[in-house]
Amino acid sequence: MNNQPFAASVSVIVPAMNEADNLPHVFATLPEWIDEVILVDGNSTDDTVAVARGLRPDLRVVTQTRRGKGNALIEGFQAARGDIIVMIDADGSTNGREIRSFVATLVNGADFAKGSRYAPGGGSDDLSPIRSLGNKVLTGLTNLLYGTRYTDLCYGYNAFWTRHLDALDLDCDGFEIETLMNVRAAQAGLVIREVPSHERSRIHGESNLHALRDGWRVLRTILRERGRGSAVTAQTQVALAK
């Protein structure tokens, strides 16, 4: 334990492909008390792994066996040793200083802490009008079909107790991974609380996200999962954790 302020160990999963320039900024925001950082390398062609190891000698590296953010996260989750898993991005858009709020939300009774840019105290420097509109439409559809009260469906800053991995039963490769997690957490009856989060713009490089293509994959996931089980009344609320 690294002077851990919580009675739980924490693993941080960072999927990365060619993010060497961004990792110094990302790792600088990580709390000293987290127990492990797992970098899932998507077969980078730059110095991503070397830079990451130089920044954090205790880093664990998982080399991705397939492609896509979803697959990278799943492989990172499988390698995690902590009681709690936190997933952040390697492009600098998610602030590691917010990890305390996510972990506190879990320790205080939640099963799944879901980041939201639309919850009071949240925000984004990066959302374009078309992405924001698409996210709101997909969020509304999910709430209608699954009885949830989400404010932000398509956001990748989340945390959960590792013991719930079996309930989530994740099995997708792409950016729709966040949607799949949110839907299956609701279907499993997990206690879900939203945590305000401020998304920053990518620092260096270009995003691999494509609004139309990935929006279509999210929509297909929402509709497909509706056929797997009935909607439940998810215990979702906005948690203004500090």
Side-chain angles (χ1 to χ4, degrees), residues 18-208:
N18 297 329
E19 299 286 6
D21 291 338
N22 291 320
L23 289 179
H25 304 277
V26 175
F27 280 33
T29 70
L30 296 178
E32 294 181 359
W33 46 262
I34 57 178
D35 295 274
E36 69 173 357
V37 177
I38 299 176
L39 180 87
V40 185
D41 178 51
N43 296 285
S44 298
T45 56
D46 67 357
D47 292 329
T48 289
V49 173
V51 168
R53 283 185 166 139
L55 293 167
R56 193 175 183 101
D58 63 343
L59 180 79
R60 295 178 59 205
V61 176
V62 173
T63 301
Q64 189 175 353
T65 59
R66 292 165 60 180
R67 295 177 60 86
K69 182 179 181 181
N71 172 254
L73 285 170
I74 290 170
E75 295 193 356
F77 296 162
Q78 291 171 343
R81 299 169 179 163
D83 301 316
I84 288 172
I85 291 174
V86 182
M87 44 192 279
I88 67 171
D89 290 334
D91 60 4
S93 62
T94 47
N95 185 351
R97 297 182 180 91
E98 295 179 353
I99 289 175
R100 178 181 287 269
S101 296
F102 284 86
V103 174
T105 299
L106 295 173
V107 170
N108 289 329
D111 296 314
F112 190 95
K114 182 189 175 325
S116 174
R117 297 162 289 187
Y118 296 101
S124 176
D125 301 328
D126 188 54
L127 268 176
S128 66
I130 188 170
R131 284 179 56 208
S132 182
L133 175 61
N135 188 17
K136 289 179 179 179
V137 170
L138 294 168
T139 300
L141 178 61
T142 298
N143 289 339
L144 178 65
L145 293 179
Y146 296 97
T148 51
R149 297 193 300 275
Y150 292 143
T151 63
D152 191 357
L153 183 70
C154 304
Y155 188 43
Y157 205 165
N158 302 291
F160 56 94
W161 291 98
T162 307
R163 62 177 180 263
H164 295 310
L165 273 173
D166 287 344
L168 297 175
D169 191 24
L170 301 171
D171 57 359
C172 70
D173 288 344
F175 280 99
E176 70 275 16
I177 184 72
E178 292 101 357
T179 296
L180 186 65
M181 295 178 72
N182 295 332
V183 168
R184 290 191 178 171
Q187 288 178 315
L190 300 186
V191 177
I192 305 165
R193 294 179 186 160
E194 289 194 333
V195 179
S197 176
H198 191 98
E199 178 188 39
R200 301 179 294 188
S201 297
R202 164 181 277 275
I203 300 173
H204 299 288
E206 298 293 329
S207 172
N208 292 317

